[in-house]
Each structure stands twice: as C-alpha cells, then as structure tokens.
Amino acid sequence: MAEKIMVGMSGGVDSSVAAFLLKEQGYEVTGVTFKLWDDPQADSGCCSADDARDAAYVCQQLGIPHYVLNYKELFRQEVVAPFVAEYLRGRTPNPCINCNRAIKFGAFAHKLRELGFDRMATGHYARCGYNAATGRWELLRAVHPAKDQSYVLYNLTQPQLELLRLPLGDYSKEEIRAIAEKNGLVVARKPDSQDICFIPDGDYGAFLRRYTGSEPPPGNFIAEDGTVLGRHKGIARYTVGQRKGLGISLGCHAYVKRIDPRCNTVELTMEERHLFCRSLTAEQVNWIAVDELTGPLTVEAKIRYAHPLSPAVISPGTTPGSVRVEFETAQRAPAPGQAVVFYRGETVVGGGTITNTEDSLC
C-alpha cells in the first residue's frame, strides 16, 4: 500500500510541483492549504483566497483531494502578535520562521497524524534525510544555492524531520517551472510572492498602526555621542543597517546603528563601517545535527536569509540555551530579532534568534 502524504500547497508553482513529483513517486497525495489571515488588502499574494483557489485547481488537475485547514487564530497568536511585539521592541523579526515552526511544521504535523497520514511535504528548496552514522535526521542545503531555503527551516525538530519530505531540494527554480509547464499546471508561470503574506503592500508602519489602533510614539534620532539629530516616527519603522527612508536629512548618508526601546531612540552613524560586528549572542537555539553544544565548534553562519555564509566559531553562551558566535570577518548590521543559522558543509547544525551584538568596529 502506498504511503499517504499530505502536501502543504500555497497555490504557487513550487508546492504544486512538489505534489506532482510525489504523486509520480508513488505516494498517495493529498493537498492542503492553510487559511491564515483575513485582510481586504490581501486578495492576492501568499495565503490569499486566490492562492487557495489556485491550489484547489492544481489538485483537480492532478486528480488528488484538496482541503483547507483554518489556522487563523493560531497564526494570529503565534506569528502576527509576536511580529508586532518584536517591532515595538525595536527588533526585526522574521515571521516566516515563526510560521514554519508553529503552523507549517507544528500544527501541520499534529494534524497529519490525527488524520492518519504517514508523511508531510512542502515546496521548500532544501533536503532532509537520515544519517546512520550519527543516528539523527538532518536538514541539508538545496543543491542549487540560489534558491536554498534551509535558513528558514532551522527550527525543525527530529520528529518533524522524520515525517518530512522535501522533493524540490535537487532542482533549480527553472527546472521546477519547466516541469510545471510540461505537465500543464496552471501555475507554471505564476510569479513568486515576495512580501510577508499579511503585509502584501510591504508597509510595515501602516500595518502596525492598523493592528494596534495607534501610532507608534515618535522619539529622537541621536548620534553615537548622544547628540539629538532630529525626530523619528516610531522605532517600529526602522531596522539596524537601514539607510533609506529614515525621514531625516543630514547632508550625508546615515545608517541605523542601534534602536533603544527603553529610551525610544534611534541611534544613527554616518560611517557604515560602524555597523560591522565580529560577534553576537543568540538565544532560543534549536539544534538539528547535534543534541547540544558542549564546546567551541567551527561552522559557517548566516545572519539573514539573503546573506552569504561566513566562517565562525560558536560556543555555549553565558545563559542556558544561548550561544555566542564569533565571526572570522566582521558582519554588516546583524539585527536583533533575526535568525542566525549555522552550517557545516551542506548540513544545518542549528540556529537561534539574535539578541545582541558586540560593540561595532571603530
């Protein structure tokens, strides 16, 4: 009897081809789309009603069942509310990572067991498999680095990896579109979604205003020596390393160096080199390739999704569950709230949330 697999389908080409490939491999495939957010501004884009219709149509083309699972309240609690809270604290969260943890591989894994499925799958570009030498399930980078999404999957647990299939890990985006076109899938040329699904217009400030019902309080832009330079429009509108859209004219380039929610200040530097840091601390760490970190380990680390890998040494932090990261070369603007993910070769060792950085290079 064929294994029953539930495929998370967003209505895009990647998850659609994932379902197609798994059916070709002999699985008994069912497509599932998550209902996550209601917003009149989100009629199109990731997780929208249009996407659900596209996913349903692809399932009809493939001759497989399609269901919609309502996770709106869980999404609000576990993704949107923390996103808002982090921005109001002057941090830069990654809601897609929280969504993967809580919804796509948390609630999803629970639901598939409840419904009697054997496996789950998504259209992420990454690989996973069992390492007999270590006795652990591993998460690996995609074969084609340009589309690798292992960074946003670092929170996966051993039980989740055991259930998971990632059929796109060996393919390029071009190959996936070619498979979709060859097999007549209606989403073959559908554009990729680039925005956060609950902020399709990319205006974080406006979203925070709608969600909280109030304007973030203005405060002072300050220089590195504490001199007041002008007024900002609320710390939630800024992120470490930002240069454009600051809303202040100083006659030269200025960059956000630090955000202090206690004083409601945004510290600016006129020298980009002051954004570079050699070390940082991360908390809420999830380990995949090891049970725990017992001593220094040489890795390559990535401080944001599109950032290149950089050699580093990680070691246990001063508080339980934390890790200290020391880079071989200074990194530009690590942002508290973002993830730092650790690799050894193709393998994801683990990752955590950046909490603070050491003093910048001066």
Side-chain angles (χ1 to χ4, degrees), residues 5-7 9 19 23 28-33 55-56 58-60 62-68 117:
I5 192 164
M6 185 182 286
V7 183
M9 297 185 66
K23 185 180 180 185
E28 183 181 330
V29 180
T30 294
V32 176
T33 301
V58 168
C59 287
Q60 183 180 348
L62 297 178
I64 63 175
H66 175 258
Y67 300 100
V68 176
F117 284 80

Coordinates of all heavy atoms in Angstrom, one line a residue, residues 5-7 9 19 23 28-33 55-56 58-60 62-68 117:
I5 N 0.7 10.9 2.0 CA 1.4 12.1 2.3 C 0.6 13.3 2.1 O -0.2 13.4 1.1 CB 2.7 12.1 1.4 CG1 3.6 13.2 1.9 CG2 2.4 12.3 -0.1 CD1 5.0 13.1 1.3
M6 N 0.6 14.2 3.0 CA -0.1 15.5 3.0 C 0.9 16.6 2.6 O 1.9 16.8 3.2 CB -0.7 15.7 4.4 CG -1.6 17.0 4.4 SD -2.2 17.2 6.1 CE -3.4 15.9 6.3
V7 N 0.5 17.3 1.5 CA 1.4 18.3 1.0 C 0.8 19.7 1.2 O -0.3 20.0 0.9 CB 1.6 18.1 -0.6 CG1 2.6 19.2 -1.1 CG2 2.1 16.7 -0.9
M9 N 0.1 23.2 0.3 CA 0.1 23.8 -1.0 C -0.4 25.2 -0.9 O -1.5 25.5 -0.4 CB -0.9 23.0 -1.9 CG -0.4 21.6 -2.2 SD -1.4 20.7 -3.4 CE -1.1 21.6 -4.9
A19 N 3.7 18.5 -5.1 CA 2.7 17.5 -5.1 C 2.7 16.6 -6.4 O 2.6 15.4 -6.3 CB 1.3 18.2 -5.1
K23 N 3.4 12.5 -6.3 CA 2.5 11.5 -6.9 C 3.2 10.6 -7.9 O 2.9 9.4 -8.0 CB 1.3 12.3 -7.6 CG 0.3 11.4 -8.2 CD -0.9 12.1 -8.9 CE -1.9 11.2 -9.4 NZ -2.9 11.8 -10.2
E28 N 0.4 8.3 -2.1 CA -1.0 8.7 -2.1 C -1.1 10.1 -1.6 O -1.0 10.4 -0.4 CB -1.8 7.8 -1.3 CG -3.3 8.0 -1.3 CD -4.1 7.1 -0.4 OE1 -3.6 5.9 -0.2 OE2 -5.2 7.5 0.1
V29 N -1.2 11.1 -2.5 CA -1.1 12.5 -2.2 C -2.4 13.2 -1.9 O -3.4 13.0 -2.6 CB -0.3 13.2 -3.3 CG1 -0.1 14.7 -3.0 CG2 1.0 12.6 -3.6
T30 N -2.4 14.0 -0.9 CA -3.5 14.9 -0.6 C -2.9 16.4 -0.4 O -1.9 16.5 0.3 CB -4.2 14.5 0.7 OG1 -4.9 13.3 0.5 CG2 -5.3 15.6 1.1
G31 N -3.5 17.3 -1.1 CA -3.1 18.7 -0.9 C -3.9 19.4 0.2 O -5.1 19.2 0.3
V32 N -3.1 20.3 0.9 CA -3.7 21.0 2.0 C -3.3 22.5 1.9 O -2.1 22.7 1.7 CB -3.3 20.5 3.4 CG1 -3.9 21.3 4.5 CG2 -3.8 19.0 3.5
T33 N -4.2 23.4 2.0 CA -3.9 24.8 2.0 C -4.3 25.4 3.4 O -5.4 25.0 3.9 CB -4.6 25.6 0.9 OG1 -4.2 25.0 -0.4 CG2 -4.3 27.0 0.9
A55 N -4.5 26.5 -5.7 CA -4.1 25.2 -5.1 C -5.2 24.1 -5.4 O -4.9 23.0 -5.8 CB -3.9 25.3 -3.6
A56 N -6.5 24.5 -5.2 CA -7.6 23.6 -5.4 C -7.6 23.2 -6.9 O -7.9 22.0 -7.2 CB -8.9 24.3 -5.0
V58 N -5.1 23.1 -9.0 CA -3.9 22.2 -9.3 C -4.3 20.8 -8.8 O -4.0 19.8 -9.5 CB -2.6 22.7 -8.7 CG1 -1.6 21.7 -8.7 CG2 -2.2 24.0 -9.4
C59 N -4.8 20.7 -7.7 CA -5.2 19.4 -7.1 C -6.2 18.7 -8.0 O -6.2 17.5 -8.3 CB -5.8 19.5 -5.7 SG -4.5 19.9 -4.5
Q60 N -7.1 19.5 -8.6 CA -8.1 18.9 -9.6 C -7.4 18.4 -10.8 O -7.7 17.3 -11.3 CB -9.1 20.0 -9.9 CG -10.2 19.5 -10.9 CD -11.2 20.6 -11.2 OE1 -11.2 21.7 -10.6 NE2 -12.0 20.3 -12.2
L62 N -4.3 17.3 -10.9 CA -3.6 16.1 -10.5 C -4.4 15.0 -10.1 O -3.9 13.8 -10.0 CB -2.6 16.5 -9.4 CG -1.5 17.5 -9.7 CD1 -0.7 17.8 -8.4 CD2 -0.6 17.1 -10.8
G63 N -5.7 15.2 -9.9 CA -6.6 14.1 -9.5 C -6.4 13.7 -8.1 O -6.5 12.5 -7.7
I64 N -6.1 14.7 -7.2 CA -5.9 14.4 -5.8 C -6.8 15.2 -4.9 O -7.3 16.3 -5.4 CB -4.4 14.7 -5.4 CG1 -4.1 16.1 -5.5 CG2 -3.5 13.8 -6.2 CD1 -2.7 16.5 -5.0
P65 N -7.1 14.8 -3.7 CA -8.0 15.6 -2.9 C -7.3 16.9 -2.4 O -6.1 17.0 -2.4 CB -8.2 14.7 -1.6 CG -7.8 13.3 -2.1 CD -6.8 13.5 -3.1
H66 N -8.2 17.9 -2.1 CA -7.6 19.1 -1.6 C -8.5 19.6 -0.4 O -9.7 19.6 -0.5 CB -7.7 20.2 -2.7 CG -7.3 21.6 -2.2 ND1 -8.2 22.6 -1.9 CD2 -6.0 22.1 -1.9 CE1 -7.5 23.6 -1.5 NE2 -6.2 23.4 -1.4
Y67 N -7.9 20.0 0.7 CA -8.6 20.5 1.8 C -8.0 21.8 2.3 O -6.8 22.2 2.0 CB -8.5 19.5 3.0 CG -9.1 18.2 2.6 CD1 -8.3 17.1 2.3 CD2 -10.5 18.0 2.7 CE1 -8.8 15.9 2.0 CE2 -11.0 16.8 2.4 CZ -10.2 15.7 2.0 OH -10.8 14.5 1.7
V68 N -8.8 22.6 3.0 CA -8.3 23.9 3.6 C -8.4 23.7 5.1 O -9.4 23.3 5.6 CB -9.2 25.1 3.1 CG1 -8.7 26.3 3.9 CG2 -9.0 25.2 1.6
F117 N -2.2 10.2 8.2 CA -1.2 10.3 7.1 C 0.2 9.8 7.6 O 0.5 9.9 8.8 CB -1.1 11.7 6.6 CG -2.2 12.1 5.7 CD1 -3.5 12.4 6.2 CD2 -2.1 12.0 4.3 CE1 -4.5 12.8 5.4 CE2 -3.2 12.4 3.5 CZ -4.4 12.7 4.0

